[in-house]
Each structure stands twice: as C-alpha cells, then as structure tokens.
Amino acid sequence: MSERLTDNPTLFRLRVRYGKRDRLKYLGHLELIHTIERIVRRAGLPYAVTQGFSPHMRVGFSSALPVGTSSTCEWYDLFMTEFVALHEAFERLAAASPADLAPIEAAYIDVRTPALTAQLTRLSYRIDLHLDPEAPVSADEVRAAIDTLRAGHGIDYARGKKSKRLDLDHTLVGYELTAGERPDHLVLMLDTHADNEGSMRPEILLSAADVLLQGLTPGVDAPIVSTGMQDLVTICSYDVERQNQACEDDEGRLVSPIPVRTCGFAPHTR
C-alpha cells in the first residue's frame, strides 16, 4: 500500500501517536498544542497552514486530557504540503521532541479521513489507587461504590458555575478492579465510550465513589466538583493513565486509528 494516500498531490496527512508522561502530564491542553507545534517547526516538516485572517498550523488533536493524567496513546494529525518519507518524518519528530512527549508510531492516512475526535470513540484508562495503609478500604467496598453509582445512571457535578451530569450509562462501558502490588494498592481499569454526547471523566467517578466510601451521599452531603486532580479522603492518592484510544466499526469492534503499516518505536510500558 502506498504511503501517499490522497488524490491531492499537494497535501499529505501524517497521523502520529505519542505519549504524555511524567512532568509533562501537567501541561494543559493549550500548552500541549503549542508544544507540539514547536516540535513540528523544530523538526523542519513542511506543515500546511489554515486559510483566513489568522493562519496557523493545520494540525488536529485527539480529545483533551485532564491536567495530571498521563497517556501512552495521544494522537495528532499533521497536514503537510510536501511528502516526506515516513521513516524520515518520524525520526525528525522524535529528535525534536522531549522524551515525555516522544512519538511512538506514525502513518500516512487519507486526507479525507474524519477528525480524530470523531473517530476515537472507545477510550480506556488505568487508575492506580493508593489507599491509607492504616485503614485501607477493600476492593469489594470500592466495587460496591462504583456499582451503586452505575445503578444511579449518572453523577451530578459542578464545573465552574455550570451544573453538569456525567452519564454513566453512556460513557462507562465496563470496568475491572484488581488488587495491586501491596494491600494498600488497587488497580481500576475503565473501558469508556466518547462522542459528542459526552465522555468519561475519571476524576468525577473517583470523587463520587470516595463520597460513598465515607458513608455519604454525593451531591447531597458532599458536592462533586470538577477541579482536575481531586483531594480524596478514603484514597490517599491516585494516578490516571489513558492507555488506549480506538475507533469502532459498524459491528462495534475496536479498530486502530492508523493503517497496519506504521513507523515507530515500541510503546512505553510501566
């Protein structure tokens, strides 16, 4: 299959998967966009620009991560005015990127492909829960709290001055909770759905579960507020990592957002 997947010989679309790790997981989405743009310029790739009064680099991103959430599967689409061999383009980006935003794989795709935010509808997260070693809650208690929230179909929360609702029927496909490396460590895996109707916010789910674990009622005894990383009571700390973003075909099967033929390094693992 040719790497040149477009009827327009002057426009090429490079889809790149990269990680967001360690200190750089605290970059906000706008800061991330500006950093990726600097990486592309430093790499010397022939990027296209938008039309209009304020032209800027033509690049599209997958959905924003909450500040403090790491990832091994972030994506961007870079439109270029000249074809650059895939291996060379990848190597240039790798050399221009800080290690915590390094590209993992890349491929050329058809310029007519839908935007990443429209294609990536299944997202999975790993959440490491670090409990109070003096009085840890059990996996069964955490599981019961999540099941109670699912039975209520959603979580009401505040974001700024707005009241919102996290629809769990729509956004939470399933979850798995397992014991971690120590008695005070649990691992929560979330399989979620995202589209224009909404997407999972793991920090909201954790905050509401924490309120239930205290024997309180979310939104009545304790309001749920979207503030990025949450200060919880029964959970001393937690780490969230987005581990997969995939497309779905007509039968609901998960599909990679890039063709089989790619260029890249082995992805980072824990």
Side-chain angles (χ1 to χ4, degrees):
M1 180 176 62
S2 171
E3 293 171 333
R4 184 163 162 171
L5 300 173
T6 171
D7 295 332
N8 184 345
T10 63
L11 198 61
F12 304 87
R13 185 173 177 180
L14 182 68
R15 179 161 285 184
V16 181
R17 178 165 74 102
Y18 66 100
K20 187 183 182 188
R21 311 182 185 103
D22 298 330
R23 290 184 300 173
L24 294 190
K25 70 182 181 181
Y26 295 104
L27 283 178
H29 192 58
L30 288 179
E31 295 172 308
L32 173 69
I33 290 173
H34 294 153
T35 302
I36 295 295
E37 290 176 344
R38 287 196 295 270
I39 288 170
V40 171
R41 292 189 178 96
R42 192 178 301 126
L45 294 178
Y47 60 87
V49 296
T50 60
Q51 304 297 313
F53 293 105
S54 180
H56 55 274
M57 184 181 298
R58 190 170 173 188
V59 56
F61 293 84
S62 53
S63 61
L65 276 174
V67 173
T69 298
S70 62
S71 176
T72 60
C73 60
E74 297 310 286
W75 296 89
Y76 64 85
D77 285 346
L78 176 66
F79 290 83
M80 301 194 297
T81 57
E82 299 174 20
F83 179 78
V84 179
L86 180 57
H87 181 77
E88 179 184 349
F90 183 87
E91 291 294 338
R92 286 198 204 178
L93 289 170
S97 301
D100 293 341
L101 287 179
I104 297 170
E105 59 181 329
Y108 280 103
I109 63 172
D110 194 315
V111 293
R112 297 161 297 187
T113 303
L116 283 162
T117 50
Q119 279 196 297
L120 300 177
T121 56
R122 286 289 288 277
L123 288 61
S124 66
Y125 296 87
R126 172 184 169 130
I127 306 175
D128 287 271
L129 305 175
H130 307 289
L131 311 173
D132 183 352
E134 300 298 325
V137 295
S138 68
D140 287 342
E141 290 173 303
V142 176
R143 193 175 292 110
I146 296 174
D147 288 343
T148 297
L149 294 171
R150 294 189 80 180
H153 306 293
I155 303 168
D156 295 314
Y157 68 98
R159 189 174 186 184
K161 296 182 179 180
K162 295 183 178 180
S163 297
K164 292 182 171 288
R165 183 171 178 81
L166 177 61
D167 185 346
L168 295 181
D169 291 340
H170 184 72
T171 62
L172 184 56
V173 177
Y175 78 93
E176 182 180 1
L177 184 68
T178 58
E181 301 169 351
R182 304 173 307 277
D184 58 345
H185 178 209
L186 298 175
V187 178
L188 175 62
M189 303 295 296
L190 299 180
D191 179 10
T192 76
H193 178 81
D195 57 22
N196 289 334
E197 300 298 319
S199 60
M200 171 57 64
R201 300 187 64 85
E203 75 280 6
I204 298 300
L205 179 67
L206 290 180
S207 183
D210 179 63
V211 171
L212 285 176
L213 289 167
Q214 297 174 61
L216 306 175
T217 302
V220 177
D221 302 311
I224 306 301
V225 181
S226 177
T227 58
M229 297 297 288
Q230 304 283 316
D231 291 325
L232 306 179
V233 175
T234 61
I235 300 169
C236 293
S237 64
Y238 63 92
D239 300 297
V240 184
E241 181 177 81
R242 187 146 71 186
Q243 294 195 326
N244 190 40
Q245 297 194 77
C247 314
E248 294 178 274
D249 65 14
D250 293 338
E251 297 181 2
R253 292 173 298 199
L254 301 188
V255 180
S256 172
I258 57 176
V260 174
R261 185 180 181 187
T262 65
C263 179
F265 299 127
H268 169 84
T269 57
R270 288 178 171 270

